[in-house]
Amino acid sequence: MNEEKMNKMEEKENEMISMPKIGDLAPDFEAVTTWGKQKFSEYAKDSWVVMFSHPADFTPVCTTEMSGFAEKKDEFDALNTKLMGLSIDSIHSHLAWVDNVRKNTGVYFDFPIIADLDMKVSKLYGMLQPNEHETAAVRAVFFIDPERKVRLIMYYPLNVGRNMDEILRALEALQTADKHKVALPLNWRKGDKVIVPPPVTLEAMEERLKDKSVELTDFYLAKKSL
Ligand code: BEZ
């Protein structure tokens, strides 16, 4: 890459408004959506929210992804999780797309989709990444807990669709970690063994080494069933 191009990329990066990080309070906003005007903090009250952006309505990858979210809505509901979509399109475009997909495939996008024409929310959440595209949001997914804390963030480029199984797996992993105060190993799925927090004192380490209730690799890696 030549120096001029690199300088331009750096300029764009510096222009970007700071984006929420894991552990931050998810920024509040009011936005026009397919469910009317929504204040995020009210929509998010007492539940998890998976908020996701897509680059543009009436595009093929986005249609498969939005349909994927819609088809799994019952599973998100069962995990006390609300969905919220976003793209930098008009509300008229959103309405026409929702109607078009329902007519063509029978899948209904039964969650609010933000019409972020002024890019206010995309910028607030770092969904607009100008070195990828100047005016279309990347494929972001924010997992936000009932305290409105950002717990996990995924970013995909414009040309690669996300994996719905991984989105649901990550959500269940976060909720399981919270509920049982454990950590989840590589490729963990519901029903698999979980990781017990490692000891942090010598005394606890000796105890752990004698603990017959866990599957022990060594004092720092112990698993148990829930
Ligand atoms: C798509 O959803 O197919 C798409 C959208 C924007 C850029 C590339 C692909």
Side-chain angles (χ1 to χ4, degrees), residues 107-144:
V107 176
Y108 184 59
F109 301 165
D110 189 14
F111 44 79
I113 308 169
I114 298 168
D116 196 33
L117 267 187
D118 61 3
M119 306 184 190
K120 191 179 77 182
V121 183
S122 334
K123 285 183 179 166
L124 198 58
Y125 276 77
M127 294 162 166
L128 193 65
Q129 304 197 359
N131 289 321
E132 173 72 349
H133 200 287
E134 298 263 5
T135 55
V138 295
R139 301 180 193 281
V141 191
F142 283 84
F143 296 70
I144 298 163

PDB file of all heavy atoms in Angstrom, residues 107-144:
ATOM      1  N   VAL A 107     -41.140 -15.093   5.169  1.00  0.00           N
ATOM      2  CA  VAL A 107     -40.414 -14.740   6.411  1.00  0.00           C
ATOM      3  C   VAL A 107     -40.700 -13.272   6.747  1.00  0.00           C
ATOM      4  O   VAL A 107     -40.565 -12.395   5.883  1.00  0.00           O
ATOM      5  CB  VAL A 107     -38.893 -14.962   6.248  1.00  0.00           C
ATOM      6  CG1 VAL A 107     -38.143 -14.499   7.483  1.00  0.00           C
ATOM      7  CG2 VAL A 107     -38.603 -16.431   5.963  1.00  0.00           C
ATOM      8  N   TYR A 108     -41.096 -13.038   8.000  1.00  0.00           N
ATOM      9  CA  TYR A 108     -41.467 -11.678   8.426  1.00  0.00           C
ATOM     10  C   TYR A 108     -40.452 -11.157   9.443  1.00  0.00           C
ATOM     11  O   TYR A 108     -40.175 -11.824  10.437  1.00  0.00           O
ATOM     12  CB  TYR A 108     -42.872 -11.719   9.038  1.00  0.00           C
ATOM     13  CG  TYR A 108     -43.401 -10.359   9.429  1.00  0.00           C
ATOM     14  CD1 TYR A 108     -43.531  -9.353   8.477  1.00  0.00           C
ATOM     15  CD2 TYR A 108     -43.775 -10.096  10.752  1.00  0.00           C
ATOM     16  CE1 TYR A 108     -44.017  -8.093   8.833  1.00  0.00           C
ATOM     17  CE2 TYR A 108     -44.258  -8.848  11.109  1.00  0.00           C
ATOM     18  CZ  TYR A 108     -44.378  -7.855  10.146  1.00  0.00           C
ATOM     19  OH  TYR A 108     -44.853  -6.621  10.497  1.00  0.00           O
ATOM     20  N   PHE A 109     -39.902  -9.982   9.173  1.00  0.00           N
ATOM     21  CA  PHE A 109     -38.902  -9.397  10.081  1.00  0.00           C
ATOM     22  C   PHE A 109     -39.624  -8.759  11.270  1.00  0.00           C
ATOM     23  O   PHE A 109     -39.906  -7.560  11.274  1.00  0.00           O
ATOM     24  CB  PHE A 109     -38.036  -8.360   9.358  1.00  0.00           C
ATOM     25  CG  PHE A 109     -37.260  -8.869   8.166  1.00  0.00           C
ATOM     26  CD1 PHE A 109     -36.704  -7.985   7.260  1.00  0.00           C
ATOM     27  CD2 PHE A 109     -37.068 -10.233   7.962  1.00  0.00           C
ATOM     28  CE1 PHE A 109     -35.977  -8.441   6.159  1.00  0.00           C
ATOM     29  CE2 PHE A 109     -36.346 -10.707   6.859  1.00  0.00           C
ATOM     30  CZ  PHE A 109     -35.810  -9.799   5.957  1.00  0.00           C
ATOM     31  N   ASP A 110     -39.889  -9.580  12.281  1.00  0.00           N
ATOM     32  CA  ASP A 110     -40.727  -9.159  13.406  1.00  0.00           C
ATOM     33  C   ASP A 110     -39.876  -8.566  14.537  1.00  0.00           C
ATOM     34  O   ASP A 110     -39.863  -9.066  15.654  1.00  0.00           O
ATOM     35  CB  ASP A 110     -41.524 -10.381  13.893  1.00  0.00           C
ATOM     36  CG  ASP A 110     -42.579  -9.982  14.906  1.00  0.00           C
ATOM     37  OD1 ASP A 110     -42.865  -8.776  15.028  1.00  0.00           O
ATOM     38  OD2 ASP A 110     -43.098 -10.887  15.598  1.00  0.00           O
ATOM     39  N   PHE A 111     -39.130  -7.529  14.195  1.00  0.00           N
ATOM     40  CA  PHE A 111     -38.330  -6.789  15.183  1.00  0.00           C
ATOM     41  C   PHE A 111     -38.078  -5.423  14.570  1.00  0.00           C
ATOM     42  O   PHE A 111     -38.159  -5.262  13.339  1.00  0.00           O
ATOM     43  CB  PHE A 111     -37.004  -7.523  15.486  1.00  0.00           C
ATOM     44  CG  PHE A 111     -36.303  -8.051  14.269  1.00  0.00           C
ATOM     45  CD1 PHE A 111     -35.551  -7.204  13.457  1.00  0.00           C
ATOM     46  CD2 PHE A 111     -36.414  -9.395  13.899  1.00  0.00           C
ATOM     47  CE1 PHE A 111     -34.912  -7.678  12.323  1.00  0.00           C
ATOM     48  CE2 PHE A 111     -35.785  -9.875  12.750  1.00  0.00           C
ATOM     49  CZ  PHE A 111     -35.038  -9.008  11.965  1.00  0.00           C
ATOM     50  N   PRO A 112     -37.805  -4.413  15.405  1.00  0.00           N
ATOM     51  CA  PRO A 112     -37.596  -3.075  14.841  1.00  0.00           C
ATOM     52  C   PRO A 112     -36.291  -2.986  14.047  1.00  0.00           C
ATOM     53  O   PRO A 112     -35.272  -3.545  14.462  1.00  0.00           O
ATOM     54  CB  PRO A 112     -37.554  -2.170  16.077  1.00  0.00           C
ATOM     55  CG  PRO A 112     -37.294  -3.053  17.237  1.00  0.00           C
ATOM     56  CD  PRO A 112     -37.742  -4.437  16.878  1.00  0.00           C
ATOM     57  N   ILE A 113     -36.359  -2.304  12.928  1.00  0.00           N
ATOM     58  CA  ILE A 113     -35.156  -2.035  12.121  1.00  0.00           C
ATOM     59  C   ILE A 113     -34.990  -0.517  12.043  1.00  0.00           C
ATOM     60  O   ILE A 113     -35.897   0.198  11.591  1.00  0.00           O
ATOM     61  CB  ILE A 113     -35.281  -2.623  10.699  1.00  0.00           C
ATOM     62  CG1 ILE A 113     -35.671  -4.107  10.752  1.00  0.00           C
ATOM     63  CG2 ILE A 113     -33.968  -2.443   9.931  1.00  0.00           C
ATOM     64  CD1 ILE A 113     -36.076  -4.685   9.398  1.00  0.00           C
ATOM     65  N   ILE A 114     -33.841  -0.051  12.520  1.00  0.00           N
ATOM     66  CA  ILE A 114     -33.580   1.392  12.550  1.00  0.00           C
ATOM     67  C   ILE A 114     -33.298   1.905  11.138  1.00  0.00           C
ATOM     68  O   ILE A 114     -32.510   1.307  10.406  1.00  0.00           O
ATOM     69  CB  ILE A 114     -32.372   1.703  13.472  1.00  0.00           C
ATOM     70  CG1 ILE A 114     -32.669   1.266  14.902  1.00  0.00           C
ATOM     71  CG2 ILE A 114     -31.986   3.170  13.394  1.00  0.00           C
ATOM     72  CD1 ILE A 114     -31.441   1.254  15.820  1.00  0.00           C
ATOM     73  N   ALA A 115     -33.939   3.013  10.797  1.00  0.00           N
ATOM     74  CA  ALA A 115     -33.658   3.704   9.524  1.00  0.00           C
ATOM     75  C   ALA A 115     -32.675   4.825   9.865  1.00  0.00           C
ATOM     76  O   ALA A 115     -33.071   5.925  10.255  1.00  0.00           O
ATOM     77  CB  ALA A 115     -34.948   4.262   8.945  1.00  0.00           C
ATOM     78  N   ASP A 116     -31.385   4.528   9.714  1.00  0.00           N
ATOM     79  CA  ASP A 116     -30.349   5.416  10.258  1.00  0.00           C
ATOM     80  C   ASP A 116     -29.788   6.344   9.168  1.00  0.00           C
ATOM     81  O   ASP A 116     -28.578   6.418   8.981  1.00  0.00           O
ATOM     82  CB  ASP A 116     -29.242   4.544  10.857  1.00  0.00           C
ATOM     83  CG  ASP A 116     -28.318   5.324  11.779  1.00  0.00           C
ATOM     84  OD1 ASP A 116     -28.799   6.264  12.443  1.00  0.00           O
ATOM     85  OD2 ASP A 116     -27.130   4.990  11.813  1.00  0.00           O
ATOM     86  N   LEU A 117     -30.712   7.046   8.518  1.00  0.00           N
ATOM     87  CA  LEU A 117     -30.291   7.872   7.367  1.00  0.00           C
ATOM     88  C   LEU A 117     -29.251   8.922   7.743  1.00  0.00           C
ATOM     89  O   LEU A 117     -28.371   9.235   6.939  1.00  0.00           O
ATOM     90  CB  LEU A 117     -31.520   8.567   6.763  1.00  0.00           C
ATOM     91  CG  LEU A 117     -32.206   7.843   5.610  1.00  0.00           C
ATOM     92  CD1 LEU A 117     -33.297   8.726   5.019  1.00  0.00           C
ATOM     93  CD2 LEU A 117     -31.217   7.409   4.536  1.00  0.00           C
ATOM     94  N   ASP A 118     -29.350   9.485   8.960  1.00  0.00           N
ATOM     95  CA  ASP A 118     -28.359  10.503   9.354  1.00  0.00           C
ATOM     96  C   ASP A 118     -27.102   9.857   9.972  1.00  0.00           C
ATOM     97  O   ASP A 118     -26.201  10.568  10.414  1.00  0.00           O
ATOM     98  CB  ASP A 118     -28.967  11.531  10.315  1.00  0.00           C
ATOM     99  CG  ASP A 118     -29.470  10.902  11.614  1.00  0.00           C
ATOM    100  OD1 ASP A 118     -29.296   9.668  11.795  1.00  0.00           O
ATOM    101  OD2 ASP A 118     -30.048  11.629  12.449  1.00  0.00           O
ATOM    102  N   MET A 119     -27.053   8.532  10.001  1.00  0.00           N
ATOM    103  CA  MET A 119     -25.899   7.743  10.474  1.00  0.00           C
ATOM    104  C   MET A 119     -25.587   7.982  11.953  1.00  0.00           C
ATOM    105  O   MET A 119     -24.477   7.670  12.412  1.00  0.00           O
ATOM    106  CB  MET A 119     -24.639   8.044   9.639  1.00  0.00           C
ATOM    107  CG  MET A 119     -24.820   7.863   8.170  1.00  0.00           C
ATOM    108  SD  MET A 119     -23.242   8.124   7.319  1.00  0.00           S
ATOM    109  CE  MET A 119     -23.775   8.172   5.635  1.00  0.00           C
ATOM    110  N   LYS A 120     -26.550   8.516  12.670  1.00  0.00           N
ATOM    111  CA  LYS A 120     -26.293   8.863  14.075  1.00  0.00           C
ATOM    112  C   LYS A 120     -25.968   7.608  14.902  1.00  0.00           C
ATOM    113  O   LYS A 120     -24.971   7.576  15.623  1.00  0.00           O
ATOM    114  CB  LYS A 120     -27.546   9.570  14.637  1.00  0.00           C
ATOM    115  CG  LYS A 120     -27.366  10.222  15.978  1.00  0.00           C
ATOM    116  CD  LYS A 120     -28.643  10.901  16.443  1.00  0.00           C
ATOM    117  CE  LYS A 120     -29.643   9.890  16.966  1.00  0.00           C
ATOM    118  NZ  LYS A 120     -30.922  10.458  17.383  1.00  0.00           N
ATOM    119  N   VAL A 121     -26.802   6.596  14.760  1.00  0.00           N
ATOM    120  CA  VAL A 121     -26.606   5.389  15.579  1.00  0.00           C
ATOM    121  C   VAL A 121     -25.406   4.578  15.056  1.00  0.00           C
ATOM    122  O   VAL A 121     -24.606   4.060  15.841  1.00  0.00           O
ATOM    123  CB  VAL A 121     -27.892   4.527  15.602  1.00  0.00           C
ATOM    124  CG1 VAL A 121     -27.708   3.316  16.512  1.00  0.00           C
ATOM    125  CG2 VAL A 121     -29.086   5.362  16.060  1.00  0.00           C
ATOM    126  N   SER A 122     -25.265   4.508  13.744  1.00  0.00           N
ATOM    127  CA  SER A 122     -24.108   3.759  13.188  1.00  0.00           C
ATOM    128  C   SER A 122     -22.800   4.330  13.683  1.00  0.00           C
ATOM    129  O   SER A 122     -21.867   3.584  13.999  1.00  0.00           O
ATOM    130  CB  SER A 122     -24.060   3.796  11.657  1.00  0.00           C
ATOM    131  OG  SER A 122     -25.279   3.981  11.098  1.00  0.00           O
ATOM    132  N   LYS A 123     -22.732   5.674  13.739  1.00  0.00           N
ATOM    133  CA  LYS A 123     -21.480   6.294  14.205  1.00  0.00           C
ATOM    134  C   LYS A 123     -21.301   6.056  15.705  1.00  0.00           C
ATOM    135  O   LYS A 123     -20.201   5.761  16.171  1.00  0.00           O
ATOM    136  CB  LYS A 123     -21.485   7.791  13.890  1.00  0.00           C
ATOM    137  CG  LYS A 123     -21.241   8.062  12.421  1.00  0.00           C
ATOM    138  CD  LYS A 123     -21.170   9.546  12.142  1.00  0.00           C
ATOM    139  CE  LYS A 123     -20.908   9.807  10.661  1.00  0.00           C
ATOM    140  NZ  LYS A 123     -21.154  11.212  10.291  1.00  0.00           N
ATOM    141  N   LEU A 124     -22.414   6.169  16.437  1.00  0.00           N
ATOM    142  CA  LEU A 124     -22.365   5.975  17.893  1.00  0.00           C
ATOM    143  C   LEU A 124     -21.843   4.584  18.259  1.00  0.00           C
ATOM    144  O   LEU A 124     -21.172   4.399  19.268  1.00  0.00           O
ATOM    145  CB  LEU A 124     -23.790   6.162  18.428  1.00  0.00           C
ATOM    146  CG  LEU A 124     -24.046   6.424  19.888  1.00  0.00           C
ATOM    147  CD1 LEU A 124     -23.317   7.678  20.350  1.00  0.00           C
ATOM    148  CD2 LEU A 124     -25.559   6.571  20.139  1.00  0.00           C
ATOM    149  N   TYR A 125     -22.159   3.596  17.419  1.00  0.00           N
ATOM    150  CA  TYR A 125     -21.785   2.208  17.714  1.00  0.00           C
ATOM    151  C   TYR A 125     -20.616   1.702  16.859  1.00  0.00           C
ATOM    152  O   TYR A 125     -20.323   0.506  16.857  1.00  0.00           O
ATOM    153  CB  TYR A 125     -23.008   1.290  17.535  1.00  0.00           C
ATOM    154  CG  TYR A 125     -23.872   1.258  18.768  1.00  0.00           C
ATOM    155  CD1 TYR A 125     -24.738   2.313  19.061  1.00  0.00           C
ATOM    156  CD2 TYR A 125     -23.795   0.210  19.678  1.00  0.00           C
ATOM    157  CE1 TYR A 125     -25.514   2.308  20.209  1.00  0.00           C
ATOM    158  CE2 TYR A 125     -24.566   0.192  20.828  1.00  0.00           C
ATOM    159  CZ  TYR A 125     -25.419   1.244  21.079  1.00  0.00           C
ATOM    160  OH  TYR A 125     -26.170   1.233  22.220  1.00  0.00           O
ATOM    161  N   GLY A 126     -19.958   2.611  16.127  1.00  0.00           N
ATOM    162  CA  GLY A 126     -18.808   2.182  15.321  1.00  0.00           C
ATOM    163  C   GLY A 126     -19.188   1.212  14.214  1.00  0.00           C
ATOM    164  O   GLY A 126     -18.372   0.381  13.806  1.00  0.00           O
ATOM    165  N   MET A 127     -20.431   1.311  13.741  1.00  0.00           N
ATOM    166  CA  MET A 127     -20.863   0.405  12.661  1.00  0.00           C
ATOM    167  C   MET A 127     -20.474   0.937  11.294  1.00  0.00           C
ATOM    168  O   MET A 127     -20.520   0.212  10.301  1.00  0.00           O
ATOM    169  CB  MET A 127     -22.391   0.235  12.714  1.00  0.00           C
ATOM    170  CG  MET A 127     -22.884  -0.478  13.945  1.00  0.00           C
ATOM    171  SD  MET A 127     -24.634  -0.171  14.157  1.00  0.00           S
ATOM    172  CE  MET A 127     -25.060  -1.401  15.371  1.00  0.00           C
ATOM    173  N   LEU A 128     -20.130   2.228  11.259  1.00  0.00           N
ATOM    174  CA  LEU A 128     -19.693   2.826  10.007  1.00  0.00           C
ATOM    175  C   LEU A 128     -18.167   2.806  10.012  1.00  0.00           C
ATOM    176  O   LEU A 128     -17.545   3.496  10.818  1.00  0.00           O
ATOM    177  CB  LEU A 128     -20.219   4.258   9.922  1.00  0.00           C
ATOM    178  CG  LEU A 128     -20.122   4.902   8.552  1.00  0.00           C
ATOM    179  CD1 LEU A 128     -21.011   4.181   7.544  1.00  0.00           C
ATOM    180  CD2 LEU A 128     -20.524   6.356   8.623  1.00  0.00           C
ATOM    181  N   GLN A 129     -17.582   2.005   9.187  1.00  0.00           N
ATOM    182  CA  GLN A 129     -16.123   1.847   9.172  1.00  0.00           C
ATOM    183  C   GLN A 129     -15.643   2.260   7.781  1.00  0.00           C
ATOM    184  O   GLN A 129     -15.637   1.455   6.833  1.00  0.00           O
ATOM    185  CB  GLN A 129     -15.759   0.411   9.548  1.00  0.00           C
ATOM    186  CG  GLN A 129     -16.369   0.061  10.906  1.00  0.00           C
ATOM    187  CD  GLN A 129     -15.792  -1.135  11.610  1.00  0.00           C
ATOM    188  OE1 GLN A 129     -14.908  -1.811  11.124  1.00  0.00           O
ATOM    189  NE2 GLN A 129     -16.312  -1.394  12.799  1.00  0.00           N
ATOM    190  N   PRO A 130     -15.297   3.556   7.642  1.00  0.00           N
ATOM    191  CA  PRO A 130     -15.144   4.176   6.324  1.00  0.00           C
ATOM    192  C   PRO A 130     -14.094   3.553   5.421  1.00  0.00           C
ATOM    193  O   PRO A 130     -14.184   3.705   4.205  1.00  0.00           O
ATOM    194  CB  PRO A 130     -14.779   5.631   6.644  1.00  0.00           C
ATOM    195  CG  PRO A 130     -15.078   5.825   8.076  1.00  0.00           C
ATOM    196  CD  PRO A 130     -15.079   4.498   8.739  1.00  0.00           C
ATOM    197  N   ASN A 131     -13.121   2.841   6.007  1.00  0.00           N
ATOM    198  CA  ASN A 131     -12.164   2.183   5.114  1.00  0.00           C
ATOM    199  C   ASN A 131     -12.769   0.946   4.449  1.00  0.00           C
ATOM    200  O   ASN A 131     -12.234   0.430   3.466  1.00  0.00           O
ATOM    201  CB  ASN A 131     -10.882   1.817   5.860  1.00  0.00           C
ATOM    202  CG  ASN A 131     -10.073   3.066   6.190  1.00  0.00           C
ATOM    203  OD1 ASN A 131      -9.996   3.977   5.372  1.00  0.00           O
ATOM    204  ND2 ASN A 131      -9.516   3.118   7.374  1.00  0.00           N
ATOM    205  N   GLU A 132     -13.892   0.459   4.988  1.00  0.00           N
ATOM    206  CA  GLU A 132     -14.637  -0.635   4.345  1.00  0.00           C
ATOM    207  C   GLU A 132     -15.689  -0.049   3.394  1.00  0.00           C
ATOM    208  O   GLU A 132     -15.811  -0.459   2.256  1.00  0.00           O
ATOM    209  CB  GLU A 132     -15.291  -1.528   5.420  1.00  0.00           C
ATOM    210  CG  GLU A 132     -16.230  -2.601   4.900  1.00  0.00           C
ATOM    211  CD  GLU A 132     -15.516  -3.755   4.187  1.00  0.00           C
ATOM    212  OE1 GLU A 132     -14.313  -3.641   3.898  1.00  0.00           O
ATOM    213  OE2 GLU A 132     -16.194  -4.763   3.899  1.00  0.00           O
ATOM    214  N   HIS A 133     -16.466   0.930   3.890  1.00  0.00           N
ATOM    215  CA  HIS A 133     -17.454   1.625   3.052  1.00  0.00           C
ATOM    216  C   HIS A 133     -17.790   2.959   3.704  1.00  0.00           C
ATOM    217  O   HIS A 133     -17.945   3.017   4.919  1.00  0.00           O
ATOM    218  CB  HIS A 133     -18.713   0.773   2.880  1.00  0.00           C
ATOM    219  CG  HIS A 133     -19.539   1.172   1.706  1.00  0.00           C
ATOM    220  ND1 HIS A 133     -20.293   2.322   1.672  1.00  0.00           N
ATOM    221  CD2 HIS A 133     -19.704   0.572   0.497  1.00  0.00           C
ATOM    222  CE1 HIS A 133     -20.890   2.414   0.493  1.00  0.00           C
ATOM    223  NE2 HIS A 133     -20.557   1.367  -0.239  1.00  0.00           N
ATOM    224  N   GLU A 134     -17.928   4.005   2.888  1.00  0.00           N
ATOM    225  CA  GLU A 134     -18.144   5.362   3.435  1.00  0.00           C
ATOM    226  C   GLU A 134     -19.556   5.562   3.974  1.00  0.00           C
ATOM    227  O   GLU A 134     -19.765   6.311   4.918  1.00  0.00           O
ATOM    228  CB  GLU A 134     -17.920   6.420   2.340  1.00  0.00           C
ATOM    229  CG  GLU A 134     -16.521   6.446   1.772  1.00  0.00           C
ATOM    230  CD  GLU A 134     -15.656   7.505   2.435  1.00  0.00           C
ATOM    231  OE1 GLU A 134     -16.126   8.139   3.390  1.00  0.00           O
ATOM    232  OE2 GLU A 134     -14.506   7.675   1.978  1.00  0.00           O
ATOM    233  N   THR A 135     -20.525   4.898   3.328  1.00  0.00           N
ATOM    234  CA  THR A 135     -21.922   5.241   3.657  1.00  0.00           C
ATOM    235  C   THR A 135     -22.787   4.030   3.996  1.00  0.00           C
ATOM    236  O   THR A 135     -23.994   4.164   4.160  1.00  0.00           O
ATOM    237  CB  THR A 135     -22.583   5.980   2.468  1.00  0.00           C
ATOM    238  OG1 THR A 135     -22.429   5.151   1.299  1.00  0.00           O
ATOM    239  CG2 THR A 135     -21.960   7.338   2.231  1.00  0.00           C
ATOM    240  N   ALA A 136     -22.187   2.853   4.067  1.00  0.00           N
ATOM    241  CA  ALA A 136     -22.960   1.661   4.445  1.00  0.00           C
ATOM    242  C   ALA A 136     -22.368   1.086   5.728  1.00  0.00           C
ATOM    243  O   ALA A 136     -21.139   1.040   5.893  1.00  0.00           O
ATOM    244  CB  ALA A 136     -22.899   0.612   3.334  1.00  0.00           C
ATOM    245  N   ALA A 137     -23.246   0.647   6.618  1.00  0.00           N
ATOM    246  CA  ALA A 137     -22.760   0.045   7.868  1.00  0.00           C
ATOM    247  C   ALA A 137     -22.154  -1.317   7.577  1.00  0.00           C
ATOM    248  O   ALA A 137     -22.623  -2.042   6.691  1.00  0.00           O
ATOM    249  CB  ALA A 137     -23.925  -0.107   8.847  1.00  0.00           C
ATOM    250  N   VAL A 138     -21.107  -1.674   8.312  1.00  0.00           N
ATOM    251  CA  VAL A 138     -20.582  -3.051   8.237  1.00  0.00           C
ATOM    252  C   VAL A 138     -21.566  -3.961   8.972  1.00  0.00           C
ATOM    253  O   VAL A 138     -22.537  -3.510   9.565  1.00  0.00           O
ATOM    254  CB  VAL A 138     -19.168  -3.168   8.863  1.00  0.00           C
ATOM    255  CG1 VAL A 138     -18.161  -2.367   8.075  1.00  0.00           C
ATOM    256  CG2 VAL A 138     -19.168  -2.785  10.339  1.00  0.00           C
ATOM    257  N   ARG A 139     -21.280  -5.262   8.929  1.00  0.00           N
ATOM    258  CA  ARG A 139     -22.162  -6.223   9.618  1.00  0.00           C
ATOM    259  C   ARG A 139     -21.689  -6.351  11.065  1.00  0.00           C
ATOM    260  O   ARG A 139     -20.792  -7.139  11.370  1.00  0.00           O
ATOM    261  CB  ARG A 139     -22.089  -7.589   8.913  1.00  0.00           C
ATOM    262  CG  ARG A 139     -22.487  -7.519   7.465  1.00  0.00           C
ATOM    263  CD  ARG A 139     -22.419  -8.853   6.758  1.00  0.00           C
ATOM    264  NE  ARG A 139     -22.504  -8.649   5.323  1.00  0.00           N
ATOM    265  CZ  ARG A 139     -23.632  -8.418   4.659  1.00  0.00           C
ATOM    266  NH1 ARG A 139     -24.780  -8.400   5.303  1.00  0.00           N
ATOM    267  NH2 ARG A 139     -23.633  -8.224   3.359  1.00  0.00           N
ATOM    268  N   ALA A 140     -22.266  -5.533  11.930  1.00  0.00           N
ATOM    269  CA  ALA A 140     -21.888  -5.563  13.350  1.00  0.00           C
ATOM    270  C   ALA A 140     -22.961  -6.303  14.149  1.00  0.00           C
ATOM    271  O   ALA A 140     -24.128  -6.330  13.750  1.00  0.00           O
ATOM    272  CB  ALA A 140     -21.750  -4.139  13.875  1.00  0.00           C
ATOM    273  N   VAL A 141     -22.544  -6.930  15.244  1.00  0.00           N
ATOM    274  CA  VAL A 141     -23.513  -7.505  16.198  1.00  0.00           C
ATOM    275  C   VAL A 141     -23.068  -7.099  17.596  1.00  0.00           C
ATOM    276  O   VAL A 141     -21.929  -7.369  17.991  1.00  0.00           O
ATOM    277  CB  VAL A 141     -23.573  -9.050  16.148  1.00  0.00           C
ATOM    278  CG1 VAL A 141     -24.769  -9.554  16.952  1.00  0.00           C
ATOM    279  CG2 VAL A 141     -23.641  -9.574  14.722  1.00  0.00           C
ATOM    280  N   PHE A 142     -23.962  -6.442  18.323  1.00  0.00           N
ATOM    281  CA  PHE A 142     -23.698  -6.062  19.713  1.00  0.00           C
ATOM    282  C   PHE A 142     -24.601  -6.888  20.628  1.00  0.00           C
ATOM    283  O   PHE A 142     -25.814  -6.912  20.446  1.00  0.00           O
ATOM    284  CB  PHE A 142     -23.992  -4.575  19.926  1.00  0.00           C
ATOM    285  CG  PHE A 142     -22.907  -3.693  19.389  1.00  0.00           C
ATOM    286  CD1 PHE A 142     -22.881  -3.345  18.053  1.00  0.00           C
ATOM    287  CD2 PHE A 142     -21.901  -3.223  20.212  1.00  0.00           C
ATOM    288  CE1 PHE A 142     -21.862  -2.549  17.547  1.00  0.00           C
ATOM    289  CE2 PHE A 142     -20.876  -2.430  19.715  1.00  0.00           C
ATOM    290  CZ  PHE A 142     -20.855  -2.090  18.381  1.00  0.00           C
ATOM    291  N   PHE A 143     -23.978  -7.558  21.595  1.00  0.00           N
ATOM    292  CA  PHE A 143     -24.727  -8.316  22.610  1.00  0.00           C
ATOM    293  C   PHE A 143     -24.760  -7.431  23.852  1.00  0.00           C
ATOM    294  O   PHE A 143     -23.705  -7.117  24.421  1.00  0.00           O
ATOM    295  CB  PHE A 143     -24.009  -9.622  22.947  1.00  0.00           C
ATOM    296  CG  PHE A 143     -23.914 -10.597  21.802  1.00  0.00           C
ATOM    297  CD1 PHE A 143     -23.095 -10.345  20.706  1.00  0.00           C
ATOM    298  CD2 PHE A 143     -24.623 -11.784  21.827  1.00  0.00           C
ATOM    299  CE1 PHE A 143     -22.994 -11.253  19.654  1.00  0.00           C
ATOM    300  CE2 PHE A 143     -24.525 -12.708  20.788  1.00  0.00           C
ATOM    301  CZ  PHE A 143     -23.724 -12.435  19.704  1.00  0.00           C
ATOM    302  N   ILE A 144     -25.956  -7.054  24.267  1.00  0.00           N
ATOM    303  CA  ILE A 144     -26.105  -6.084  25.366  1.00  0.00           C
ATOM    304  C   ILE A 144     -26.948  -6.733  26.462  1.00  0.00           C
ATOM    305  O   ILE A 144     -28.026  -7.278  26.181  1.00  0.00           O
ATOM    306  CB  ILE A 144     -26.761  -4.795  24.807  1.00  0.00           C
ATOM    307  CG1 ILE A 144     -25.838  -4.197  23.739  1.00  0.00           C
ATOM    308  CG2 ILE A 144     -27.054  -3.793  25.927  1.00  0.00           C
ATOM    309  CD1 ILE A 144     -26.491  -3.195  22.817  1.00  0.00           C
TER     310      ILE A 144
END
